[in-house]
Amino acid sequence: MMYTFKFNKVASTVALYCAIASLNGCATFDKKGAEQANNQSNPPTLFTETSGVIPVEDRGRRKWDVAIVGDLDGNGYQDLLLTEHAHKVFVYWNEGGTFTEPSTLINGDMHGTAIADFDKDGLVEVIIAQGGGNGSNPRKPKHFEITKDRQFTGGKPLEHFEKGRGRSVKVFDANNDGNSDLFLTGFATPEQFETGANHFYSNSGTGEFVFEGNLPFSDRLSYRSVITDFNGDDQSDILVFGGKRMVAIAGGEGYTFSDVTDKVLGSLKHTSDVSAISQLDFDGDGDLDLAISRAEHQFEPETYYDAASKRFAFFSRFQPLQLEDLTIDGDFVLENLQMAYPDFDVYVGKDKRLLDFKSSSKDTSHDLDRSGTINLTASESFGWPEDLCVKGVKMKNLPKDSKPGLYIGYMGNNHWRICSQTSSATAGVINNVISTPATTKDESLPAMLLENRDGQFFDVTSKMGIDINEQTTSALAADYDNDGWTDLFFMRYGDMSKEVTQYLYMNNQGKSFTLVDNHGAISTDLGATGAGAEVIDYDKDGDFDLIFANERGKWHLFENHNEILSNNNYIGITVGMSPVEKADLFGTKVTINACGRTQVREVGNTSSSFAVTYNNDLLFGLGQCDEVDTVTVTWTNGEEIQLNPKQVNQYININ
C-alpha cells in the first residue's frame, strides 16, 4: 500500500518524515475468515449476549453512565473501564477477545471519567470527577496514570482545580495544538449559582492544567455535555444539556468560546430532560447531526406491575413512600433490593425487627450499595408499627425515634404492607403479587433526531421514521450492519417489573430509518431502569459489538454477528499519536473514500453524557464495496497522513 504525508503547520518536515522507518509498524488484523463463519451455526438475531467473555459481577448495582472504551495498556485491543456508582471503578483488560478479572482503579463515589495522554508520554491517564455527597462535600477530581504493565499510579486530587459536585469530564483540543484540554461540569454549589459550574482547563502539553474560567451554563440540572463541531469549522464546540434547556457553545480561535444557543438551536433549546446526545452524519452530507434520548431524573416515586409474571416493582427517594397493601400468594419474596448510602436498614413487623444481612461469611449483601433477595414468612413479619411513613413528611422532619429504612409487615389475610422511609434511592421487585396495585405513569419524552443544516438544527424525527414515545436513557449511533450508513440504538428507561427489548433503527441510506423488532439486545434485569450504551469491537472481527448497563442492574456485552448474517465489507483504522509533534489521539479524524462515498470517524466520539472514550479503533462499514481508494488520518494540530490501502476487511495500524 502507498502512503503520503502532509503536515499543514510544518510543511518542511514532510520530506523528512516520509523516510522514517516507522512506517513498517503499520500492521494489519485480518477479518474472521469464511471458514470460521461456516463452522458457526447462524445466530437467530444480530446481537446475542456473550457468556464468559467478560467476568462482570452477577448482581445489580447502581451505575454511572456508559462503559468507557480504550486501549489502556497498548496491546492493540480495547479495554473497558466500568463505574459502579458509589462502589468501585473497575478496569477489565482485553486479552485478544476475552477480558480478565477486573482490576480496581478506585473505591468510592465516582462520576464522570476521562482518559487521554495529557502529558504525551505514551501512557494513558485517567481523570475522575468525585461525587459531592449530595452537596455537603464538594471535592476535586482525581488523576491516575496507567503503565504498560497494567499498574495504576497517582490517585491524588488535582488540588488546583475548582471544587464541585462533579458530573461530566470531557476532553477536546480547544486550540488545535495537539494537546488535550478539559471541560468539566458539576451540580452547582450555592456559591456557584451565579457563575455555574462549567469549568474549562487548558493544557500546554505537559499535563499541567490551567483554569481558564467558566463557560456558559443553563439551569442546575444541565450538567451533561457532548463535544461536537456543529458549524464544521474544525473548532470543537460544546452542547450542555439535561435540565430545562440546552446550551450551544461555539469554540473559536485559541481559548475563545461564545454562546450561540439561539442561532444554532432556535426553539429546540427548550428541549428538556435530555439524557444523552450522539453525533452522526445520518444522511451522508458531511455535517454532524444529533440523535437525542430523553429521560427524567430519578427523583419521584415510581411503581410498576406486570400481571403476567405477578411482579410489582417500586422506586422511592427523598421522602417516605408507603405502598398500598399488596395481596401476595405465599411468602414475601423481594429481589434486587437496592438501598443507597446512608440508608441500608430493613425492619420487619410491628416490633421493627432489624434484619441481619451478615448471616454468612459469603453474604455480601451488607456492603455499600447492597442488593439481594429477602424471603419472609407471615409469622415472622406480623404487624405494623404506628406513626410510620407519614405522607408528605420529608425525611429531615421525621420524629427523632423514627429510623430511616425499608419497613415490611404482614397485615393478615395474605396482605402485606411496605414503606420506604429513606432519603437515598430505594428500589426492589416483589414477587407473587396477585392483587392489582396502582402504578405510576412515566412522562412521555420522545427521542429526537436533529438534522444539521449549515450549523443550525431542525427536528426531522418523524420525517425520518423514528417514533419513540417514551423515555430513553442513551442514544448510540453506529453502523451495526456495516452497510456504510449510521444506525441508531436507543436504550429504554423501561418498566422495572419486566424484561425490556431495546430500540434499534437501521438507516435506509440516509432516506429514513426502519425499526428492527428481533435484534436480540434485551435487558433481562428486573428492578432496574436503562442506563448507558456504547460500542466496542472487542474481538476485532470488524463489526460493532454492544455493551450496555442498567441502573440498579448489570453490565451486558452483546456480540454482533453481522459477519455471519451479511457479506458486507469493512475497514478499520487503529490510530496512534501524530508522527511529528506527537499530537494526542483525542479528536483525530479518519476519512475514507471508497466506491464514490466519503465517511468520517473521530477518536472520542461517544454516546456518554459524562465521560469520554479513547477508542482508537475507527471502524468503517463498506457494504458491497470491495476496495478503498484513500484513507486520510488528520490529527487536531493539522498533521495528516494519506494511505491507499485498496484491500478491505482488515485493521490497519497507524503508529
Side-chain angles (χ1 to χ4, degrees), residues 138 219 222 293 441:
D219 54 279
S222 289
S293 61
K441 183 175 177 57

Side-chain angles (χ1 to χ4, degrees), residues 283-304:
D283 48 6
D285 64 355
D287 52 23
L288 292 174
D289 312 300
L290 302 175
I292 295 177
S293 61
R294 301 171 66 205
E296 290 180 303
H297 297 265
Q298 292 188 329
F299 295 153
E300 300 297 324
E302 299 172 16
T303 54
Y304 304 87

Side-chain angles (χ1 to χ4, degrees), residues 431-629:
N431 291 292
N432 304 318
V433 177
I434 57 177
S435 56
T436 307
T439 58
T440 56
K441 183 175 177 57
D442 296 331
E443 180 183 355
S444 175
L445 294 172
M448 302 172 69
L449 179 64
L450 305 186
E451 182 183 0
N452 188 337
R453 302 173 189 167
D454 298 322
Q456 294 178 286
F457 290 104
F458 297 86
D459 188 349
V460 294
T461 312
S462 178
K463 174 185 175 182
M464 295 303 295
I466 294 175
D467 183 16
I468 301 177
N469 196 29
E470 62 182 271
Q471 296 186 26
T472 49
T473 59
S474 186
L476 181 57
D479 181 3
Y480 297 106
D481 59 357
N482 276 350
D483 68 348
W485 296 89
T486 304
D487 312 304
L488 289 172
F489 177 88
F490 290 94
M491 192 81 178
R492 297 170 67 185
Y493 185 86
D495 182 331
M496 290 170 57
S497 67
K498 300 177 181 179
E499 296 183 353
V500 177
T501 299
Q502 310 301 338
Y503 285 115
L504 178 63
Y505 278 89
M506 305 306 286
N507 190 334
N508 301 314
Q509 299 186 356
K511 299 179 178 62
S512 64
F513 286 85
T514 299
L515 179 65
V516 178
D517 293 325
N518 186 29
H519 50 70
I522 300 173
S523 297
T524 57
D525 298 337
L526 300 177
T529 50
E534 192 54 89
V535 289
I536 176 175
D537 186 7
Y538 75 89
D539 49 5
K540 296 198 89 157
D541 65 350
D543 49 32
F544 284 113
D545 307 303
L546 181 66
I547 181 169
F548 63 68
N550 292 298
E551 175 66 9
R552 303 178 304 278
K554 306 170 188 176
W555 292 99
H556 300 271
L557 176 64
F558 288 81
E559 184 177 0
N560 186 329
H561 297 290
N562 177 68
E563 80 277 11
I564 299 174
L565 296 175
S566 80
N567 58 354
N568 288 335
N569 297 313
Y570 79 92
I571 190 167
I573 308 297
T574 301
V575 179
M577 282 186 166
S578 70
V580 180
E581 291 193 348
K582 301 301 179 184
D584 192 16
L585 309 184
F586 208 92
T588 302
K589 292 182 180 178
V590 175
T591 304
I592 70 161
N593 290 285
C595 298
R597 286 202 63 216
T598 300
Q599 297 184 59
V600 181
R601 300 278 185 269
E602 181 176 329
V603 177
N605 189 12
T606 177
S607 65
S608 169
S609 297
F610 299 106
V612 294
T613 66
Y614 203 56
N615 188 345
N616 63 333
D617 285 343
L618 300 182
L619 181 62
F620 299 82
L622 300 174
Q624 296 302 296
C625 180
D626 59 4
E627 184 175 288
V628 176
D629 299 319

Side-chain angles (χ1 to χ4, degrees), residues 174-194:
N175 62 343
N176 290 340
D177 65 351
N179 304 314
S180 292
D181 307 303
L182 283 175
F183 173 65
L184 280 70
T185 70
F187 192 85
T189 59
E191 62 270 21
Q192 296 170 335
F193 284 173
E194 295 298 323

Side-chain angles (χ1 to χ4, degrees), residues 168-230:
S168 74
V169 183
K170 295 289 184 173
V171 179
F172 67 113
D173 185 356
N175 62 343
N176 290 340
D177 65 351
N179 304 314
S180 292
D181 307 303
L182 283 175
F183 173 65
L184 280 70
T185 70
F187 192 85
T189 59
E191 62 270 21
Q192 296 170 335
F193 284 173
E194 295 298 323
T195 61
N198 293 343
H199 300 145
F200 170 64
Y201 296 85
S202 64
N203 173 22
S204 64
T206 63
E208 295 293 327
F209 297 98
V210 176
F211 177 54
E212 300 286 351
N214 293 279
L215 298 191
F217 69 101
S218 179
D219 54 279
R220 295 186 72 201
L221 294 178
S222 289
Y223 43 61
R224 303 169 189 249
S225 62
V226 65
I227 306 297
T228 184
D229 181 11
F230 46 67

Side-chain angles (χ1 to χ4, degrees), residues 143-162:
H143 174 271
F144 297 85
E145 190 166 66
I146 301 177
T147 67
K148 295 295 185 181
D149 58 352
R150 299 177 175 178
Q151 300 300 306
F152 307 129
T153 63
K156 296 182 179 180
L158 295 168
E159 294 294 352
H160 62 293
F161 274 47
E162 298 292 298

Side-chain angles (χ1 to χ4, degrees), residues 343-362:
D343 304 325
F344 286 148
D345 291 331
V346 179
Y347 300 94
V348 176
K350 185 176 182 178
D351 59 354
K352 295 187 284 189
R353 176 174 59 88
L354 177 64
L355 288 190
D356 180 9
F357 284 87
K358 301 180 182 180
S359 57
S360 73
S361 60
K362 295 181 180 180

